[in-house]
Amino acid sequence: MVEHDVLSATRDAYDAAAPTYAQLFRDTLRDSPLDRAMLGVFAEAVRAGGGGQVADLGCGPGHVTAHLDELGLAAFGIDASPVMIESARQAYPGLRFDVGSMAALTIADGALGGVLSRWSIIHTPPQGLPAILAEFHRVLAPGGHLLVGFWASGDPSHPTQVFDHAVAPAYRWSPDHLAAMLRESGLAEVARMVREPQPTDRRQFQEVHLLARKA
């Protein structure tokens, strides 16, 4: 019940923030060469692993889903916020966007060649994350890849740290701890990128991208 309440509150908050969010973040990849590079690595890994459909989970206004499409992937987006999904559909009418929850994906076992989760796990309470990682593993085909993005905790001795997010309560994660959780879920780390905060960044946190593969 608590996790359902968290999901509902987060969904409602993003519904309210969707117009502003789409305006602020739709072009962020243009000024983020490291993010584009990691997405390119992810695209190559998916193709090398056999290809297949790719789900952008927590797709928001759809700009990253569209970038994956430009990279040649068969990408579609899923988000818990109906307003975000409607915004994505209007902006990118040629792509598929569905309302859904990462904790209960309506996707068949082993159906995907790739899963992208950019900052979509940050609102999940720590006790709820193993179930979501298990869903990522379930929907990936053998050899499929996951790319997960998040902010790192400031103290490696703390697996998670709560921080004040503008939309909903959120968590930072120790990269090593999250990598260990991925291993426990059957997803082996392939690579990671850690980006140090820039002086102009609103949040002075390290950004982490973990690339993992399902055996």
Side-chain angles (χ1 to χ4, degrees):
M1 178 61 72
V2 172
E3 290 181 13
H4 180 268
D5 291 345
V6 170
L7 174 62
S8 297
T10 302
R11 178 196 62 215
D12 293 347
Y14 273 101
D15 277 347
T20 301
Y21 194 93
Q23 184 177 6
L24 288 176
F25 293 101
R26 185 164 283 156
D27 296 326
T28 52
L29 285 178
R30 180 184 58 196
D31 300 320
S32 303
L34 292 176
D35 285 16
R36 294 197 308 272
M38 203 65 197
L39 290 169
V41 169
F42 171 66
E44 290 192 28
V46 169
R47 285 192 288 269
Q53 287 192 309
V54 173
D56 178 9
L57 303 180
C59 65
H63 59 298
V64 179
T65 315
H67 185 72
L68 295 179
D69 177 71
E70 292 171 359
L71 292 174
L73 298 180
F76 64 98
I78 295 177
D79 201 281
S81 164
V83 180
M84 283 288 194
I85 289 297
E86 183 57 32
S87 176
R89 288 171 176 168
Q90 291 180 7
Y92 309 103
L95 299 179
R96 170 187 159 196
F97 295 97
D98 300 325
V99 177
S101 167
M102 293 187 300
L105 295 166
T106 55
I107 298 172
D109 294 359
L112 302 180
V115 168
L116 177 66
S117 171
R118 280 173 51 90
W119 281 267
S120 57
I121 65 166
I122 64 170
H123 300 298
T124 301
Q127 66 272 19
L129 189 57
I132 287 177
L133 298 183
E135 272 292 87
F136 293 171
H137 179 271
R138 181 186 68 80
V139 299
L140 278 171
H145 284 79
L146 164 71
L147 180 62
V148 58
F150 57 97
W151 281 294
S153 61
D155 183 348
S157 66
H158 288 78
T160 62
Q161 287 180 303
V162 179
F163 72 95
D164 185 19
H165 190 277
V167 178
Y171 302 85
R172 301 158 63 189
W173 289 85
S174 158
D176 288 341
H177 181 73
L178 190 49
M181 293 181 70
L182 289 172
R183 286 195 300 274
E184 292 170 2
S185 300
L187 297 163
E189 181 180 353
V190 174
R192 72 175 68 178
M193 182 186 78
V194 179
R195 175 186 176 273
E196 295 295 330
Q198 302 302 302
T200 55
D201 289 347
R202 184 163 61 92
R203 294 189 181 91
Q204 291 296 298
F205 305 153
Q206 288 180 326
E207 293 184 0
V208 183
H209 297 259
L210 284 178
L211 180 66
R213 180 181 181 273
K214 178 176 176 177

